[in-house]
Amino acid sequence: MKTIQVIAMAAFLIVSGTAFAQNEETDNREKFQIGLKTGLNYSNVYNARGENLNTDGKFGFVGGGVVRIPIDKYFGLQPEVLFSQKGFKGQGMLLGSEYDFTRTTTYLDIPLQFAVKPSEFITIMAGPQYSYLLKQKDTFISSSTSFSQEQEFKNDNIRKNILGLVGGFDISLRHLILGARTGWDIQNNNGNGTSQTPRYKNAWVQGTIGYAFYE
């Protein structure tokens, strides 16, 4: 994740330096805007409670729609509706045996972000996010007792409705929008915690490119 954050910060500095040199007529902060965006998540998990679970991050697709609602020149709201792939790669112990495991989860993410617009090019955002689990794909490899372990994962009580927090910034170059976000769940993935499989919370960084429509 540190590599992604360094790349995002470098892009922020380069593009924002170019943006500030542009004409003042590009100021669209008080315009209602609708847009589309697409990009990548790099996700992992934290606060995992399992049997010696070690995890690595993985990439996934993100894309959807954006609405920019101005309150005034410097403040606004930005709700979004996104199809977002998260997950992780892990190694651990379950039922006395080692396993390798890759989980890919597809969520409908709905962040409701409060926006601060210090300039016509930069928007800083933060707010709560509701996520609904649409699909989950597990790839499971174990040298022994794999059937029992796989059943344990299949019988797991996965929470479909998860609340989280997101924050980040957008760089606006007329209709083009470059975005960087970080986000994390504030609820575990398990509903009641009765399973032996790992309980965890998703965490991710996100980079997107989008297009905004306005008059």
Side-chain angles (χ1 to χ4, degrees):
M1 278 196 187
K2 290 183 179 179
T3 302
I4 300 298
Q5 292 171 332
V6 170
I7 293 172
M9 183 58 66
F12 169 77
L13 293 174
I14 293 170
V15 178
S16 61
T18 303
F20 279 113
Q22 294 188 25
N23 194 297
E24 291 290 331
E25 294 179 358
T26 61
D27 194 341
N28 298 300
R29 283 178 284 179
E30 295 185 271
K31 293 183 179 180
F32 178 84
Q33 303 178 34
I34 297 176
L36 299 173
K37 63 190 296 186
T38 187
L40 290 174
N41 287 332
Y42 183 74
S43 62
N44 205 331
V45 297
Y46 73 102
N47 196 30
R49 289 187 284 174
E51 297 182 10
N52 302 317
L53 178 68
N54 298 308
T55 65
D56 297 309
K58 67 185 300 293
F59 286 97
F61 167 81
V62 62
V66 180
V67 179
R68 290 177 151 187
I69 305 170
I71 297 174
D72 60 20
K73 187 175 182 178
Y74 296 101
F75 300 99
L77 297 175
Q78 184 163 316
E80 302 177 358
V81 179
L82 306 171
F83 289 95
S84 182
Q85 286 185 330
K86 302 167 191 172
F88 65 95
K89 299 177 181 179
Q91 308 84 39
M93 293 285 295
L94 181 64
L95 302 178
S97 298
E98 295 182 356
Y99 67 88
D100 293 310
F101 182 68
T102 300
R103 171 164 288 176
T104 301
T105 49
T106 302
Y107 286 90
L108 179 66
D109 284 346
I110 305 177
L112 178 58
Q113 301 162 106
F114 181 74
V116 179
K117 301 172 281 185
S119 82
E120 62 267 37
F121 305 110
I122 305 297
T123 303
I124 302 169
M125 288 162 291
Q129 175 173 285
Y130 167 77
S131 299
Y132 181 78
L133 180 62
L134 297 172
K135 182 180 179 182
Q136 178 174 297
K137 179 181 179 181
D138 294 337
T139 302
F140 189 89
I141 300 174
S142 177
S143 59
S144 62
T145 65
S146 59
F147 178 77
S148 297
Q149 290 172 324
E150 287 181 15
Q151 288 300 114
E152 188 73 18
F153 274 93
K154 288 180 180 179
N155 293 335
D156 203 356
N157 180 23
I158 299 298
R159 176 183 280 121
K160 291 184 177 292
N161 300 280
I162 297 179
L163 296 178
L165 297 171
V166 294
F169 62 86
D170 283 347
I171 299 172
S172 301
L173 304 174
R174 293 186 172 87
H175 293 275
L176 183 66
I177 303 173
L178 303 178
R181 301 282 191 281
T182 184
W184 56 95
D185 294 341
I186 59 177
Q187 292 178 295
N188 282 322
N189 68 309
N190 288 65
N192 58 21
T194 57
S195 173
Q196 295 186 52
T197 59
R199 282 186 280 171
Y200 62 84
K201 301 174 183 179
N202 292 296
W204 63 96
V205 293
Q206 182 183 102
T208 59
I209 184 170
Y211 189 90
F213 300 89
Y214 54 85
E215 294 183 358

